[in-house]
């Protein structure tokens, strides 16, 4: 796991996500597990999330901020997707329950979203830890090259966003960006 160093002091920490995962990545040998930056984790839904609690995020501010950022870079807006919201909530709660930020803690991203029934054509994820608000975590992602790339991915059309707290009370954030395959 790589921890970003370009966040404002005291703003929190984040994992650099790498690249957007595409279906083509799975085609090569049918690989089922994708590891990001050396992160290792358990299998799908392997984390007991009962000790973590989700908390409300300002969805209007989040969507407005992300779409304003995309528009300022010549991109189309994204919309919230209920399935991606559920997958993001599970990821945020898993990280909060374990007190660890990881893209693979509770299974690979493609596996996690597929388990919720999201038939993805493009999928990526931004994670954050210890940011106190939606604007703060989004500013952190905008300032991080890997996260910025995910926010500005022209191939995504939908997002899911969630935050959760564990025993420590520190917030863990998960943003999943995707586009479903056309049926």
């Amino acid at each position: 796991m790589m921890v970003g160093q370009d966040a404002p002091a005291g703003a929190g920490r984040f994992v650099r996500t790498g690249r957007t995962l595409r279906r083509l990545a799975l085609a090569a040998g049918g690989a089922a597990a994708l590891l990001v930056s050396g992160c290792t984790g358990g299998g799908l839904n392997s984390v007991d999330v009962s000790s973590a609690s989700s908390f409300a995020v300002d969805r209007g501010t989040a969507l407005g901020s992300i779409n304003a950022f995309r528009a300022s870079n010549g991109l189309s807006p994204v919309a919230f997707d209920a399935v991606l919201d559920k997958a993001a909530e599970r990821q945020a709660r898993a990280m909060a329950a374990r007190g660890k930020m990881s893209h693979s803690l509770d299974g690979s991203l493609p596996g996690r979203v597929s388990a919720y029934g999201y038939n993805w054509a493009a999928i990526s994820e931004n994670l954050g830890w210890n940011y106190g608000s939606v604007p703060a975590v989004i500013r952190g992602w905008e300032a991080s090259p890997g996260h910025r790339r995910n926010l500005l991915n022209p191939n995504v059309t939908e997002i899911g966003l969630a935050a959760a707290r564990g025993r420590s009370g520190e917030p863990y954030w998960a943003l999943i960006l995707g586009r479903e395959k056309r049926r």
Side-chain angles (χ1 to χ4, degrees):
M1 173 169 67
M2 292 175 34
V3 177
Q5 300 297 319
D6 53 354
R13 297 183 188 164
F14 44 87
V15 174
R16 183 166 179 193
T17 59
R19 294 165 208 80
T20 300
L21 303 172
R22 291 196 172 88
R23 187 64 80 181
L24 295 174
L26 292 177
L34 296 176
L35 300 178
V36 178
S37 301
C39 296
T40 59
L44 190 60
N45 294 322
S46 64
V47 176
D48 176 2
V49 298
S50 62
S51 65
S53 59
S54 300
F55 62 91
V57 297
D58 185 340
R59 294 169 63 80
T61 297
L63 193 60
S65 298
I66 291 169
N67 282 335
F69 184 61
R70 288 176 62 86
S72 71
N73 286 276
L75 296 172
S76 300
V78 293
F80 276 111
D81 177 81
V83 175
L84 292 181
D85 274 341
K86 289 178 186 174
E89 180 181 3
R90 172 71 193 188
Q91 180 65 11
R93 290 185 70 199
M95 293 186 303
R98 287 274 177 93
K100 179 181 178 183
M101 194 169 52
S102 168
H103 288 279
S104 58
L105 184 70
D106 203 32
S108 70
L109 174 60
R112 287 186 277 121
V113 298
S114 294
Y116 280 94
Y118 193 80
N119 188 21
W120 59 274
I123 199 78
S124 59
E125 178 177 65
N126 287 356
L127 303 178
W129 168 73
N130 211 25
Y131 284 93
S133 67
V134 167
V137 74
I138 291 174
R139 278 192 308 271
W141 289 331
E142 289 173 352
S144 161
H147 296 98
R148 177 184 183 91
R149 215 172 8 260
N150 288 342
L151 291 171
L152 298 177
N153 182 342
N155 297 313
V156 300
T157 58
E158 302 168 316
I159 63 169
L161 175 67
R165 285 184 168 71
R167 291 183 189 102
S168 68
E170 297 169 338
Y172 286 82
W173 298 84
L175 172 69
I176 300 176
L177 306 97
R179 178 176 49 84
E180 272 199 292
K181 286 184 180 177
R182 289 182 170 71
R183 299 193 195 280

